[in-house]
Amino acid sequence: MIKFNSLMGDAAYFGKHLIIIEDRMGNNMPFELNPVQNLLHKGISGRDIVVKSRQLGITSYFQLRHFKPVLTIPNTTAVLVAHEEYLTKRLLNRIRSWYDRLPNKVVTD
């Protein structure tokens, strides 16, 4: 059973229960935080500077963290900027994929 209050409050819970991602093999799976993302999630303050390496899922984590309020808080806007246009398009395509795979209805009973 999905807990509505947890869904609205916690990005990790939101991702696990509503966001479908593709793994490296192309399989659809729930967005569950990996160990690096989980460390970041537990320690994030909102005033963080993250020096990141590639392939750890940090960009995906921040996309999830900012996608949730855009969906759940009226009049919320997020901006995504990358250093190259094709990367920005790729990241926006990921968000579009998440959006397209959202359930039509959330049932909590």
Side-chain angles (χ1 to χ4, degrees):
M1 176 160 73
I2 296 175
K3 298 176 184 174
F4 185 76
N5 288 338
S6 295
L7 191 64
M8 294 300 100
D10 185 51
Y13 190 88
F14 178 88
K16 181 177 179 178
H17 290 91
L18 287 184
I19 303 300
I20 302 298
I21 62 169
E22 279 188 19
D23 67 9
R24 293 177 195 267
M25 306 303 270
N27 302 312
N28 291 334
M29 57 188 298
F31 189 142
E32 291 195 58
L33 299 185
N34 67 34
V36 173
Q37 292 167 330
N38 202 33
L39 273 173
L40 178 61
H41 182 67
K42 288 179 179 178
I44 201 159
S45 70
R47 298 181 58 125
D48 308 277
I49 297 173
V50 179
V51 179
K52 66 181 210 74
S53 61
R54 294 181 46 86
Q55 305 301 314
L56 294 179
I58 302 304
T59 300
S60 297
Y61 172 76
F62 279 106
Q63 283 184 286
L64 172 67
R65 187 173 168 85
H66 294 287
F67 182 55
K68 185 183 82 66
V70 168
L71 289 177
T72 59
I73 302 171
N75 301 315
T76 300
T77 303
V79 177
L80 188 147
V81 179
H83 65 286
E84 293 181 355
E85 182 180 357
Y86 85 95
L87 291 174
T88 303
K89 287 180 181 179
R90 210 167 99 198
L91 294 171
L92 288 172
N93 285 339
R94 179 186 300 160
I95 295 292
R96 172 52 90 179
S97 170
W98 293 357
Y99 181 79
D100 289 345
R101 295 174 186 194
L102 285 171
N104 291 330
K105 190 185 296 187
V106 175
V107 179
T108 59
D109 302 334

